[in-house]
Amino acid sequence: MTTDQHSTPQNSTPQHGAPQQGAPTAAEPAQRPLTLRAAAGAGYFPIAFIARFPFAMMVVGTLTLVVAARDSIALGGLNSALLGLGSALVGPLLGAAADRIGQRPVILVSGILNSLALLALAYVAFSSLPDVAVLAVGFVIGATSPQIGPFSRSRLVQLILTRLPAARRAKSLNATMGYESAADETAFVFGPVVVGLLATTMTPAAPMIGAAVLTLLFVTAFALHPTAALSAPSTEAPTVQAPASALRTAPVLVIVAGALGVGLFFGTVLTSLTAFLAETGNAGSAGLVYGVMGVGSTILALSISLFPERFRLSARWLVFSALMLASMIAFGLAGGLMGLIGAMAVAGVGIGPTVVTLYSLAAERSPQGRSATVMSMLGSATIVGQSAASALTGAVADSAGSGAAMWLPTGAAGLVLLAAVANAVLGGGRSAVTAPEGDTAEDSQTEPVTARATTLAEHPAEHL
């Protein structure tokens, strides 16, 4: 499969997960599992999927809770913004720590602290403590948010490159990128729906309590899963990492800008849609209408591996972000429920492949030993965008009406398209990458796809 790649650092150290030259390899393919599910274990995928929901519920959940408890939309919006700021400042550091010491301790510590912070907000919001206490807890929630999506990608790609037969790697890598992005997308679409259901059927604090319980159960299970050992650095050799300055290059930052636009898109769409339907007496249908976007998004994200080779990543980003923009223009012009449903259906077709493409490019361009950091940068950018957009869109809806707020998603989609144009201008030449040692010449067809993901196998001295 042809991909776009920008100066991916080469790994001159042999991968210990691959057979070394001179080692017997004849029996090895028979010992390798034939599917990723067999390699990861049947329980991995449901655990990793559910573990994403607390992260997707936080922005809307904290906003709902603070507004209900303190009767202040401004405070709720500011709290969401600080949550996003905490994620932006600390999220990449969590990724860097996982690159350095392994995922398990990082996820365990951040998950426990995050669940305690969620429960603390449920108490502090209704207490007599000053507003600054609410804001401080909101910041801690964002700062301790476990980066499940980025870490899951890193684990699965490690499994593919080291445990599956070489002939199956290309197909598995493409399918995995699509699945992971579809899982993230599903969580971001339906996480707010879960928040709404819990808040309306129980109490405004229920979403935060539910998120805390999910974090304790499923994030902890994700941390303790045997696949977490894949990311642990070897004790026999130091972890090899590119300098931190490699994270500030234009090819990396343009993807982060695209992820920021995606977060802005989610925040502006959900908030403006809710405001419009509330004004027109259809507030109860907000979750269902928003869910329409998730249907097309999930289907297209899962089908990404079926796209032809000549449909390059840079072209996909341009095409599907342009579709996002077109759907949001229709969203702004829609004057009723049916128009909104149509616009959301088209938006889903655009946003799903866009998210897949962003993470595929991130895997391709991650500097050596920095993949979890780059993936966490994208996750943090998305939550920052969603937080800021939720606050801004709510303020616009209050002051200027839902009609004005419904044009804000056009700006968010425009930013995603602008980043796609910048990415295309940067170019997309693919640098040469040697196939893993021990693979035969007949396996060379997997090399382009392996090149896109080899940087996710970030510890070259690691023994698997």
Side-chain angles (χ1 to χ4, degrees), residues 139-175:
F139 179 86
V140 173
I141 290 174
T144 58
S145 300
Q147 306 290 317
I148 301 301
F151 291 162
S152 179
R153 284 177 175 84
S154 183
R155 292 189 194 184
L156 293 179
V157 174
Q158 286 271 19
L159 282 173
I160 292 169
L161 295 181
T162 59
R163 301 289 177 86
L164 297 190
R168 296 185 61 88
R169 290 176 189 160
K171 183 176 180 180
S172 294
L173 284 169
N174 281 323

Side-chain angles (χ1 to χ4, degrees), residues 105-257:
V106 173
I107 297 173
L108 281 174
V109 173
S110 64
I112 292 172
L113 293 177
N114 189 250
S115 61
L116 292 176
L118 290 167
L119 293 174
L121 185 63
Y123 168 76
V124 171
F126 288 98
S127 73
S128 59
L129 292 172
D131 291 345
V132 66
V134 176
L135 298 177
V137 176
F139 179 86
V140 173
I141 290 174
T144 58
S145 300
Q147 306 290 317
I148 301 301
F151 291 162
S152 179
R153 284 177 175 84
S154 183
R155 292 189 194 184
L156 293 179
V157 174
Q158 286 271 19
L159 282 173
I160 292 169
L161 295 181
T162 59
R163 301 289 177 86
L164 297 190
R168 296 185 61 88
R169 290 176 189 160
K171 183 176 180 180
S172 294
L173 284 169
N174 281 323
T176 297
M177 289 294 179
Y179 166 78
E180 284 292 302
S181 295
D184 284 342
E185 173 75 4
T186 301
F188 269 101
V189 169
F190 292 104
V193 177
V194 174
V195 170
L197 291 174
L198 291 176
T200 54
T201 59
M202 301 176 72
T203 71
M208 292 297 92
I209 297 173
V213 172
L214 288 177
T215 299
L216 281 175
L217 294 177
F218 289 94
V219 172
T220 300
F222 181 80
L224 297 177
H225 194 274
T227 55
L230 293 170
S231 64
S234 171
T235 57
E236 300 179 11
T239 300
V240 179
Q241 287 186 319
S245 59
L247 299 171
R248 299 191 294 270
T249 60
V252 173
L253 293 179
V254 74
I255 310 171
V256 176

Side-chain angles (χ1 to χ4, degrees), residues 271-273 275-277 279-280 328-329 331-335 393 396-410:
T271 308
S272 62
L273 175 67
F276 176 82
L277 292 177
E279 285 186 3
T280 57
M328 289 302 98
I329 293 174
F331 182 82
L333 294 173
T393 308
V396 171
D398 283 344
S399 61
S402 63
M406 290 182 68
W407 284 102
L408 294 180
T410 303

Side-chain angles (χ1 to χ4, degrees), residues 4-107:
D4 301 46
Q5 187 158 347
H6 293 268
S7 303
T8 303
Q10 302 305 304
N11 178 8
S12 59
T13 307
Q15 293 283 346
H16 285 69
Q20 302 300 305
Q21 289 181 340
T25 60
E28 186 175 355
Q31 298 172 353
R32 291 182 174 182
L34 294 179
T35 66
L36 183 59
R37 176 174 294 184
Y44 175 82
F45 291 96
I47 290 173
F49 177 70
I50 299 175
R52 300 169 202 257
F53 270 80
F55 189 74
M57 295 166 61
M58 288 175 189
V59 174
V60 178
T62 56
L63 178 64
T64 301
L65 173 61
V66 173
V67 171
R70 299 285 169 131
D71 194 25
S72 173
I73 296 178
L75 180 63
L78 182 58
N79 187 77
S80 294
L82 281 176
L83 187 153
L85 179 63
S87 178
L89 293 178
V90 182
L93 298 180
L94 295 178
D99 283 332
R100 177 63 60 181
I101 65 175
Q103 291 186 15
R104 180 167 291 157
V106 173
I107 297 173

